[in-house]
mmCIF file of all heavy atoms in Angstrom:
data_model
loop_
_atom_site.group_PDB
_atom_site.id
_atom_site.type_symbol
_atom_site.label_atom_id
_atom_site.label_comp_id
_atom_site.label_asym_id
_atom_site.label_seq_id
_atom_site.Cartn_x
_atom_site.Cartn_y
_atom_site.Cartn_z
ATOM 1 N N ARG A 574 1.722 10.873 0.176
ATOM 2 C CA ARG A 574 2.127 9.624 0.963
ATOM 3 C C ARG A 574 1.982 10.007 2.533
ATOM 4 O O ARG A 574 2.445 10.938 3.046
ATOM 5 C CB ARG A 574 3.458 9.145 0.712
ATOM 6 C CG ARG A 574 3.527 8.413 -0.694
ATOM 7 C CD ARG A 574 4.953 7.952 -1.004
ATOM 8 N NE ARG A 574 5.399 6.978 0.099
ATOM 9 C CZ ARG A 574 6.086 5.931 -0.184
ATOM 10 N NH1 ARG A 574 6.368 5.597 -1.256
ATOM 11 N NH2 ARG A 574 6.459 5.091 0.879
ATOM 12 N N TRP A 588 -5.320 5.588 10.480
ATOM 13 C CA TRP A 588 -4.461 4.716 9.794
ATOM 14 C C TRP A 588 -5.319 3.870 8.912
ATOM 15 O O TRP A 588 -6.230 3.229 9.455
ATOM 16 C CB TRP A 588 -3.613 3.863 10.813
ATOM 17 C CG TRP A 588 -2.677 2.898 10.181
ATOM 18 C CD1 TRP A 588 -1.299 3.073 9.895
ATOM 19 C CD2 TRP A 588 -2.959 1.458 9.904
ATOM 20 N NE1 TRP A 588 -0.831 1.888 9.456
ATOM 21 C CE2 TRP A 588 -1.756 0.861 9.278
ATOM 22 C CE3 TRP A 588 -4.085 0.759 9.888
ATOM 23 C CZ2 TRP A 588 -1.715 -0.403 8.853
ATOM 24 C CZ3 TRP A 588 -4.118 -0.563 9.456
ATOM 25 C CH2 TRP A 588 -2.809 -1.199 8.910
ATOM 26 N N ALA A 590 -4.839 0.527 6.128
ATOM 27 C CA ALA A 590 -3.916 -0.463 5.621
ATOM 28 C C ALA A 590 -3.698 -0.105 4.022
ATOM 29 O O ALA A 590 -4.454 0.280 3.247
ATOM 30 C CB ALA A 590 -4.354 -1.911 5.821
ATOM 31 N N GLY A 591 -2.519 -0.413 3.562
ATOM 32 C CA GLY A 591 -2.222 -0.344 2.144
ATOM 33 C C GLY A 591 -1.811 0.976 1.664
ATOM 34 O O GLY A 591 -2.107 2.048 2.261
ATOM 35 N N THR A 613 -10.967 17.068 7.761
ATOM 36 C CA THR A 613 -12.193 17.692 7.906
ATOM 37 C C THR A 613 -12.281 18.432 9.294
ATOM 38 O O THR A 613 -13.101 19.170 9.620
ATOM 39 C CB THR A 613 -13.416 16.725 7.670
ATOM 40 O OG1 THR A 613 -13.151 16.134 6.364
ATOM 41 C CG2 THR A 613 -14.784 17.551 7.682
ATOM 42 N N TRP A 614 -11.407 17.912 10.297
ATOM 43 C CA TRP A 614 -11.511 18.354 11.610
ATOM 44 C C TRP A 614 -10.039 18.711 12.130
ATOM 45 O O TRP A 614 -9.081 18.181 11.491
ATOM 46 C CB TRP A 614 -12.091 17.333 12.424
ATOM 47 C CG TRP A 614 -11.692 15.933 12.160
ATOM 48 C CD1 TRP A 614 -10.628 15.265 12.400
ATOM 49 C CD2 TRP A 614 -12.544 15.003 11.392
ATOM 50 N NE1 TRP A 614 -10.530 14.080 11.831
ATOM 51 C CE2 TRP A 614 -11.795 13.927 11.133
ATOM 52 C CE3 TRP A 614 -13.783 15.145 10.715
ATOM 53 C CZ2 TRP A 614 -12.181 12.840 10.450
ATOM 54 C CZ3 TRP A 614 -14.227 14.105 9.872
ATOM 55 C CH2 TRP A 614 -13.450 12.903 9.779
ATOM 56 N N ASP A 615 -10.053 19.282 13.291
ATOM 57 C CA ASP A 615 -8.748 19.740 13.879
ATOM 58 C C ASP A 615 -8.217 18.736 14.886
ATOM 59 O O ASP A 615 -7.158 18.878 15.388
ATOM 60 C CB ASP A 615 -8.725 21.064 14.384
ATOM 61 C CG ASP A 615 -9.588 21.401 15.539
ATOM 62 O OD1 ASP A 615 -10.315 20.419 15.933
ATOM 63 O OD2 ASP A 615 -9.671 22.445 16.179
ATOM 64 N N THR A 631 -13.106 15.612 0.211
ATOM 65 C CA THR A 631 -14.080 15.870 -0.920
ATOM 66 C C THR A 631 -14.015 14.697 -1.845
ATOM 67 O O THR A 631 -13.073 13.946 -1.854
ATOM 68 C CB THR A 631 -13.579 17.154 -1.710
ATOM 69 O OG1 THR A 631 -14.492 17.401 -2.779
ATOM 70 C CG2 THR A 631 -12.196 17.107 -2.187
ATOM 71 N N TRP A 632 -15.218 14.634 -2.500
ATOM 72 C CA TRP A 632 -15.376 13.678 -3.516
ATOM 73 C C TRP A 632 -15.363 14.109 -4.905
ATOM 74 O O TRP A 632 -15.667 13.457 -5.863
ATOM 75 C CB TRP A 632 -16.711 12.807 -3.181
ATOM 76 C CG TRP A 632 -16.635 12.487 -1.634
ATOM 77 C CD1 TRP A 632 -17.166 13.262 -0.669
ATOM 78 C CD2 TRP A 632 -16.057 11.348 -1.070
ATOM 79 N NE1 TRP A 632 -16.991 12.655 0.485
ATOM 80 C CE2 TRP A 632 -16.263 11.596 0.316
ATOM 81 C CE3 TRP A 632 -15.386 10.272 -1.633
ATOM 82 C CZ2 TRP A 632 -15.737 10.679 1.206
ATOM 83 C CZ3 TRP A 632 -14.847 9.395 -0.614
ATOM 84 C CH2 TRP A 632 -15.078 9.559 0.706
ATOM 85 N N TRP A 658 3.170 9.717 -8.432
ATOM 86 C CA TRP A 658 2.792 10.324 -9.771
ATOM 87 C C TRP A 658 1.732 9.477 -10.443
ATOM 88 O O TRP A 658 1.661 8.169 -10.277
ATOM 89 C CB TRP A 658 4.141 10.261 -10.702
ATOM 90 C CG TRP A 658 3.842 10.992 -11.967
ATOM 91 C CD1 TRP A 658 4.104 12.307 -12.285
ATOM 92 C CD2 TRP A 658 3.357 10.368 -13.332
ATOM 93 N NE1 TRP A 658 3.851 12.467 -13.680
ATOM 94 C CE2 TRP A 658 3.442 11.310 -14.312
ATOM 95 C CE3 TRP A 658 3.023 9.036 -13.617
ATOM 96 C CZ2 TRP A 658 3.137 11.122 -15.627
ATOM 97 C CZ3 TRP A 658 2.669 8.846 -14.978
ATOM 98 C CH2 TRP A 658 2.709 9.847 -15.864
ATOM 99 N N GLY A 661 -3.233 11.183 -14.398
ATOM 100 C CA GLY A 661 -4.250 12.147 -13.914
ATOM 101 C C GLY A 661 -3.820 13.289 -13.245
ATOM 102 O O GLY A 661 -4.061 14.434 -13.472
ATOM 103 N N ASP A 679 10.155 12.488 -3.507
ATOM 104 C CA ASP A 679 10.263 11.406 -2.524
ATOM 105 C C ASP A 679 11.531 11.217 -1.892
ATOM 106 O O ASP A 679 11.981 11.012 -0.764
ATOM 107 C CB ASP A 679 9.612 10.155 -3.013
ATOM 108 C CG ASP A 679 10.249 9.690 -4.260
ATOM 109 O OD1 ASP A 679 10.483 10.409 -5.181
ATOM 110 O OD2 ASP A 679 10.593 8.462 -4.284
ATOM 111 N N ASP A 680 12.580 11.190 -2.898
ATOM 112 C CA ASP A 680 14.065 10.850 -2.567
ATOM 113 C C ASP A 680 14.542 11.975 -1.631
ATOM 114 O O ASP A 680 15.359 11.691 -0.773
ATOM 115 C CB ASP A 680 14.857 10.589 -3.701
ATOM 116 C CG ASP A 680 14.812 11.805 -4.750
ATOM 117 O OD1 ASP A 680 13.882 12.585 -4.775
ATOM 118 O OD2 ASP A 680 15.758 11.850 -5.537
ATOM 119 N N GLU A 727 -3.509 -9.410 19.505
ATOM 120 C CA GLU A 727 -4.342 -8.997 20.664
ATOM 121 C C GLU A 727 -3.350 -8.254 21.663
ATOM 122 O O GLU A 727 -3.701 -7.071 22.174
ATOM 123 C CB GLU A 727 -5.015 -10.095 21.304
ATOM 124 C CG GLU A 727 -5.936 -9.683 22.470
ATOM 125 C CD GLU A 727 -6.683 -10.868 23.053
ATOM 126 O OE1 GLU A 727 -5.973 -11.971 23.024
ATOM 127 O OE2 GLU A 727 -7.797 -10.692 23.516
ATOM 128 N N SER A 735 -2.624 -0.852 17.650
ATOM 129 C CA SER A 735 -3.475 -1.698 16.901
ATOM 130 C C SER A 735 -3.210 -1.573 15.370
ATOM 131 O O SER A 735 -4.107 -1.925 14.506
ATOM 132 C CB SER A 735 -5.011 -1.313 17.195
ATOM 133 O OG SER A 735 -5.102 0.105 17.136
ATOM 134 N N ALA A 738 3.044 -2.700 11.282
ATOM 135 C CA ALA A 738 3.923 -2.082 10.237
ATOM 136 C C ALA A 738 3.962 -3.132 9.059
ATOM 137 O O ALA A 738 3.219 -2.872 8.071
ATOM 138 C CB ALA A 738 5.373 -1.824 10.766
ATOM 139 N N GLU A 758 7.780 3.186 13.762
ATOM 140 C CA GLU A 758 7.829 1.654 13.722
ATOM 141 C C GLU A 758 8.699 1.094 14.694
ATOM 142 O O GLU A 758 9.674 1.577 15.039
ATOM 143 C CB GLU A 758 8.288 1.256 12.222
ATOM 144 C CG GLU A 758 8.426 -0.215 12.187
ATOM 145 C CD GLU A 758 8.760 -0.700 10.780
ATOM 146 O OE1 GLU A 758 8.620 0.021 9.798
ATOM 147 O OE2 GLU A 758 9.134 -1.759 10.513
ATOM 148 N N PHE A 809 8.557 1.850 6.789
ATOM 149 C CA PHE A 809 9.630 1.296 6.014
ATOM 150 C C PHE A 809 10.389 2.474 5.195
ATOM 151 O O PHE A 809 9.701 3.170 4.558
ATOM 152 C CB PHE A 809 9.156 0.362 4.978
ATOM 153 C CG PHE A 809 10.223 -0.573 4.148
ATOM 154 C CD1 PHE A 809 10.290 -1.799 4.407
ATOM 155 C CD2 PHE A 809 11.026 0.042 3.236
ATOM 156 C CE1 PHE A 809 11.147 -2.557 3.649
ATOM 157 C CE2 PHE A 809 11.863 -0.668 2.476
ATOM 158 C CZ PHE A 809 12.174 -2.017 2.678
ATOM 159 N N ARG A 817 21.085 -8.002 -3.451
ATOM 160 C CA ARG A 817 20.874 -7.565 -4.889
ATOM 161 C C ARG A 817 21.056 -5.997 -5.019
ATOM 162 O O ARG A 817 21.492 -5.495 -6.010
ATOM 163 C CB ARG A 817 19.519 -7.902 -5.273
ATOM 164 C CG ARG A 817 19.107 -7.556 -6.689
ATOM 165 C CD ARG A 817 17.841 -8.245 -7.129
ATOM 166 N NE ARG A 817 17.391 -7.876 -8.407
ATOM 167 C CZ ARG A 817 16.088 -8.052 -8.871
ATOM 168 N NH1 ARG A 817 15.252 -8.704 -8.087
ATOM 169 N NH2 ARG A 817 15.891 -7.635 -10.055
ATOM 170 N N TYR A 818 20.573 -5.306 -3.876
ATOM 171 C CA TYR A 818 20.448 -3.836 -3.994
ATOM 172 C C TYR A 818 21.349 -3.213 -2.829
ATOM 173 O O TYR A 818 21.677 -3.805 -1.960
ATOM 174 C CB TYR A 818 19.013 -3.285 -3.787
ATOM 175 C CG TYR A 818 18.016 -3.923 -4.890
ATOM 176 C CD1 TYR A 818 16.886 -4.400 -4.578
ATOM 177 C CD2 TYR A 818 18.304 -3.655 -6.239
ATOM 178 C CE1 TYR A 818 16.001 -4.804 -5.423
ATOM 179 C CE2 TYR A 818 17.426 -4.059 -7.252
ATOM 180 C CZ TYR A 818 16.282 -4.665 -6.838
ATOM 181 O OH TYR A 818 15.453 -5.067 -7.835
ATOM 182 N N GLY A 819 21.709 -1.915 -3.176
ATOM 183 C CA GLY A 819 22.221 -1.129 -2.090
ATOM 184 C C GLY A 819 23.723 -1.225 -1.858
ATOM 185 O O GLY A 819 24.248 -0.772 -0.832
ATOM 186 N N ALA B 62 -0.984 -4.034 5.521
ATOM 187 C CA ALA B 62 0.177 -3.501 6.399
ATOM 188 C C ALA B 62 0.199 -2.118 6.091
ATOM 189 O O ALA B 62 -0.554 -1.490 5.383
ATOM 190 C CB ALA B 62 1.384 -4.293 5.976
ATOM 191 N N ASP B 63 1.199 -1.490 6.878
ATOM 192 C CA ASP B 63 1.347 -0.029 6.696
ATOM 193 C C ASP B 63 1.750 0.250 5.341
ATOM 194 O O ASP B 63 2.451 -0.452 4.642
ATOM 195 C CB ASP B 63 2.543 0.310 7.641
ATOM 196 C CG ASP B 63 2.684 1.886 7.633
ATOM 197 O OD1 ASP B 63 1.595 2.550 8.131
ATOM 198 O OD2 ASP B 63 3.559 2.482 7.254
ATOM 199 N N THR B 65 3.892 2.236 3.831
ATOM 200 C CA THR B 65 5.324 2.264 3.549
ATOM 201 C C THR B 65 5.817 0.836 3.205
ATOM 202 O O THR B 65 6.625 0.600 2.350
ATOM 203 C CB THR B 65 6.170 2.798 4.713
ATOM 204 O OG1 THR B 65 5.757 1.971 5.980
ATOM 205 C CG2 THR B 65 5.724 4.209 4.950
ATOM 206 N N HIS B 66 5.348 -0.176 4.002
ATOM 207 C CA HIS B 66 5.626 -1.584 3.728
ATOM 208 C C HIS B 66 4.983 -2.180 2.416
ATOM 209 O O HIS B 66 5.719 -2.818 1.652
ATOM 210 C CB HIS B 66 5.331 -2.558 4.940
ATOM 211 C CG HIS B 66 6.226 -2.353 6.101
ATOM 212 N ND1 HIS B 66 7.284 -3.168 6.323
ATOM 213 C CD2 HIS B 66 6.362 -1.314 6.961
ATOM 214 C CE1 HIS B 66 7.981 -2.748 7.383
ATOM 215 N NE2 HIS B 66 7.480 -1.681 7.757
ATOM 216 N N ASP B 104 9.875 1.431 -5.247
ATOM 217 C CA ASP B 104 10.200 2.604 -4.592
ATOM 218 C C ASP B 104 11.620 3.037 -4.559
ATOM 219 O O ASP B 104 11.912 4.240 -4.181
ATOM 220 C CB ASP B 104 9.669 2.567 -3.095
ATOM 221 C CG ASP B 104 8.254 3.010 -2.814
ATOM 222 O OD1 ASP B 104 7.699 3.495 -3.809
ATOM 223 O OD2 ASP B 104 7.730 2.757 -1.738
ATOM 224 N N GLU B 107 17.135 1.537 -7.862
ATOM 225 C CA GLU B 107 17.572 0.218 -8.487
ATOM 226 C C GLU B 107 16.419 -0.702 -8.729
ATOM 227 O O GLU B 107 16.551 -1.347 -9.795
ATOM 228 C CB GLU B 107 18.600 -0.455 -7.503
ATOM 229 C CG GLU B 107 19.945 0.189 -7.386
ATOM 230 C CD GLU B 107 20.756 -0.549 -6.191
ATOM 231 O OE1 GLU B 107 20.393 -0.439 -5.058
ATOM 232 O OE2 GLU B 107 21.674 -1.196 -6.541
ATOM 233 N N ASP B 111 15.033 -2.055 -12.488
ATOM 234 C CA ASP B 111 14.629 -3.565 -12.766
ATOM 235 C C ASP B 111 13.227 -3.627 -13.387
ATOM 236 O O ASP B 111 12.966 -4.406 -14.242
ATOM 237 C CB ASP B 111 14.835 -4.302 -11.449
ATOM 238 C CG ASP B 111 16.223 -4.809 -11.140
ATOM 239 O OD1 ASP B 111 16.976 -4.511 -11.998
ATOM 240 O OD2 ASP B 111 16.387 -5.403 -10.164
ATOM 241 N N MET B 134 2.836 5.795 -10.645
ATOM 242 C CA MET B 134 4.427 5.608 -10.732
ATOM 243 C C MET B 134 4.963 6.165 -9.500
ATOM 244 O O MET B 134 4.524 7.180 -8.865
ATOM 245 C CB MET B 134 4.838 6.284 -11.970
ATOM 246 C CG MET B 134 4.747 5.620 -13.282
ATOM 247 S SD MET B 134 6.037 6.087 -14.374
ATOM 248 C CE MET B 134 5.304 5.521 -15.840
ATOM 249 N N ARG B 140 12.339 8.865 -11.988
ATOM 250 C CA ARG B 140 13.703 9.091 -12.059
ATOM 251 C C ARG B 140 14.437 8.296 -13.044
ATOM 252 O O ARG B 140 15.346 8.643 -13.746
ATOM 253 C CB ARG B 140 14.339 9.041 -10.714
ATOM 254 C CG ARG B 140 14.092 10.247 -9.753
ATOM 255 C CD ARG B 140 14.995 10.117 -8.475
ATOM 256 N NE ARG B 140 14.508 9.130 -7.620
ATOM 257 C CZ ARG B 140 13.601 9.273 -6.769
ATOM 258 N NH1 ARG B 140 12.873 10.323 -6.633
ATOM 259 N NH2 ARG B 140 13.143 8.183 -6.037
ATOM 260 N N ASP B 151 -4.087 7.409 -17.895
ATOM 261 C CA ASP B 151 -4.487 7.048 -16.611
ATOM 262 C C ASP B 151 -5.349 5.636 -16.549
ATOM 263 O O ASP B 151 -6.351 5.713 -17.276
ATOM 264 C CB ASP B 151 -5.213 8.122 -15.751
ATOM 265 C CG ASP B 151 -4.908 8.067 -14.273
ATOM 266 O OD1 ASP B 151 -5.268 6.961 -13.735
ATOM 267 O OD2 ASP B 151 -4.516 8.951 -13.717
ATOM 268 N N ARG B 195 -10.316 2.127 24.736
ATOM 269 C CA ARG B 195 -10.350 1.861 23.388
ATOM 270 C C ARG B 195 -9.316 0.707 22.860
ATOM 271 O O ARG B 195 -9.705 -0.178 22.216
ATOM 272 C CB ARG B 195 -9.947 3.082 22.561
ATOM 273 C CG ARG B 195 -10.145 3.092 21.123
ATOM 274 C CD ARG B 195 -8.793 2.962 20.431
ATOM 275 N NE ARG B 195 -8.957 2.674 19.084
ATOM 276 C CZ ARG B 195 -8.049 2.012 18.287
ATOM 277 N NH1 ARG B 195 -6.800 1.766 18.891
ATOM 278 N NH2 ARG B 195 -8.215 1.655 17.120
ATOM 279 N N ARG B 204 -8.258 -9.775 17.517
ATOM 280 C CA ARG B 204 -8.214 -11.245 17.804
ATOM 281 C C ARG B 204 -9.359 -11.966 17.187
ATOM 282 O O ARG B 204 -9.276 -12.871 16.550
ATOM 283 C CB ARG B 204 -8.199 -11.570 19.316
ATOM 284 C CG ARG B 204 -8.283 -13.110 19.544
ATOM 285 C CD ARG B 204 -8.193 -13.362 21.192
ATOM 286 N NE ARG B 204 -9.023 -12.604 22.052
ATOM 287 C CZ ARG B 204 -10.413 -13.056 22.188
ATOM 288 N NH1 ARG B 204 -10.904 -14.103 21.626
ATOM 289 N NH2 ARG B 204 -11.157 -12.234 22.950
ATOM 290 N N MET B 215 -8.457 -3.428 7.674
ATOM 291 C CA MET B 215 -8.059 -2.300 6.743
ATOM 292 C C MET B 215 -8.093 -0.986 7.291
ATOM 293 O O MET B 215 -7.693 -0.107 6.673
ATOM 294 C CB MET B 215 -9.043 -2.487 5.521
ATOM 295 C CG MET B 215 -8.967 -3.844 4.796
ATOM 296 S SD MET B 215 -7.260 -4.285 4.324
ATOM 297 C CE MET B 215 -6.902 -3.190 2.972
ATOM 298 N N ASP B 217 -7.688 1.343 11.256
ATOM 299 C CA ASP B 217 -7.622 1.253 12.685
ATOM 300 C C ASP B 217 -8.939 1.436 13.173
ATOM 301 O O ASP B 217 -9.560 2.462 13.122
ATOM 302 C CB ASP B 217 -6.513 2.466 13.155
ATOM 303 C CG ASP B 217 -6.042 2.108 14.484
ATOM 304 O OD1 ASP B 217 -6.333 0.959 15.133
ATOM 305 O OD2 ASP B 217 -5.642 2.986 15.095
ATOM 306 N N ARG B 232 -13.277 21.024 16.129
ATOM 307 C CA ARG B 232 -13.793 21.976 15.175
ATOM 308 C C ARG B 232 -13.635 21.336 13.831
ATOM 309 O O ARG B 232 -12.738 20.521 13.455
ATOM 310 C CB ARG B 232 -12.874 23.227 15.208
ATOM 311 C CG ARG B 232 -13.015 23.938 16.460
ATOM 312 C CD ARG B 232 -12.159 25.280 16.514
ATOM 313 N NE ARG B 232 -10.777 24.980 16.213
ATOM 314 C CZ ARG B 232 -9.903 25.932 15.708
ATOM 315 N NH1 ARG B 232 -10.326 27.159 15.461
ATOM 316 N NH2 ARG B 232 -8.569 25.573 15.493
ATOM 317 N N THR B 233 -14.616 21.647 12.856
ATOM 318 C CA THR B 233 -14.495 21.086 11.564
ATOM 319 C C THR B 233 -14.672 22.060 10.464
ATOM 320 O O THR B 233 -15.161 23.268 10.652
ATOM 321 C CB THR B 233 -15.800 20.176 11.407
ATOM 322 O OG1 THR B 233 -16.968 20.861 11.592
ATOM 323 C CG2 THR B 233 -15.770 19.074 12.369
ATOM 324 N N THR B 234 -14.327 21.768 9.300
ATOM 325 C CA THR B 234 -14.410 22.640 8.075
ATOM 326 C C THR B 234 -15.878 22.808 7.685
ATOM 327 O O THR B 234 -16.165 23.752 6.969
ATOM 328 C CB THR B 234 -13.614 22.096 6.874
ATOM 329 O OG1 THR B 234 -14.174 20.813 6.554
ATOM 330 C CG2 THR B 234 -12.160 22.034 7.257
ATOM 331 N N PRO B 241 -15.084 10.053 11.204
ATOM 332 C CA PRO B 241 -14.250 9.228 12.198
ATOM 333 C C PRO B 241 -12.940 9.800 12.394
ATOM 334 O O PRO B 241 -12.141 9.975 11.477
ATOM 335 C CB PRO B 241 -14.265 7.834 11.645
ATOM 336 C CG PRO B 241 -14.230 8.004 10.102
ATOM 337 C CD PRO B 241 -14.939 9.318 9.815
ATOM 338 N N HIS B 333 -19.834 16.047 5.131
ATOM 339 C CA HIS B 333 -18.518 15.732 4.441
ATOM 340 C C HIS B 333 -18.466 14.400 3.930
ATOM 341 O O HIS B 333 -17.570 13.990 3.182
ATOM 342 C CB HIS B 333 -17.340 15.819 5.542
ATOM 343 C CG HIS B 333 -17.345 14.914 6.689
ATOM 344 N ND1 HIS B 333 -18.150 15.073 7.842
ATOM 345 C CD2 HIS B 333 -16.766 13.618 6.864
ATOM 346 C CE1 HIS B 333 -18.000 14.092 8.638
ATOM 347 N NE2 HIS B 333 -17.050 13.236 8.107
ATOM 348 N N ASP B 353 -20.499 16.072 -2.153
ATOM 349 C CA ASP B 353 -20.169 17.390 -2.634
ATOM 350 C C ASP B 353 -19.987 17.378 -4.167
ATOM 351 O O ASP B 353 -19.615 18.433 -4.614
ATOM 352 C CB ASP B 353 -19.181 18.093 -1.819
ATOM 353 C CG ASP B 353 -17.782 17.221 -1.988
ATOM 354 O OD1 ASP B 353 -17.674 16.254 -2.716
ATOM 355 O OD2 ASP B 353 -16.744 17.917 -1.475
ATOM 356 N N ASN B 354 -20.204 16.207 -4.835
ATOM 357 C CA ASN B 354 -20.228 16.417 -6.407
ATOM 358 C C ASN B 354 -21.486 17.075 -6.633
ATOM 359 O O ASN B 354 -21.571 17.612 -7.809
ATOM 360 C CB ASN B 354 -20.347 15.120 -6.877
ATOM 361 C CG ASN B 354 -18.831 14.450 -7.027
ATOM 362 O OD1 ASN B 354 -17.909 15.029 -7.748
ATOM 363 N ND2 ASN B 354 -18.661 13.262 -6.362
#
Side-chain angles (χ1 to χ4, degrees):
Chain A
R574 286 183 57 143
W588 181 92
T613 310
W614 39 81
D615 63 359
T631 181
W632 311 92
W658 185 93
D679 57 311
D680 54 339
E727 181 180 34
S735 45
E758 176 174 346
F809 190 111
R817 183 166 174 199
Y818 297 131
Chain B
D63 187 64
T65 57
H66 283 259
D104 267 353
E107 288 174 288
D111 276 354
M134 280 207 197
R140 282 189 290 280
D151 206 307
R195 185 253 167 209
R204 171 177 56 81
M215 301 308 287
D217 194 16
R232 296 182 304 161
T233 60
T234 59
H333 63 279
D353 62 358
N354 277 300

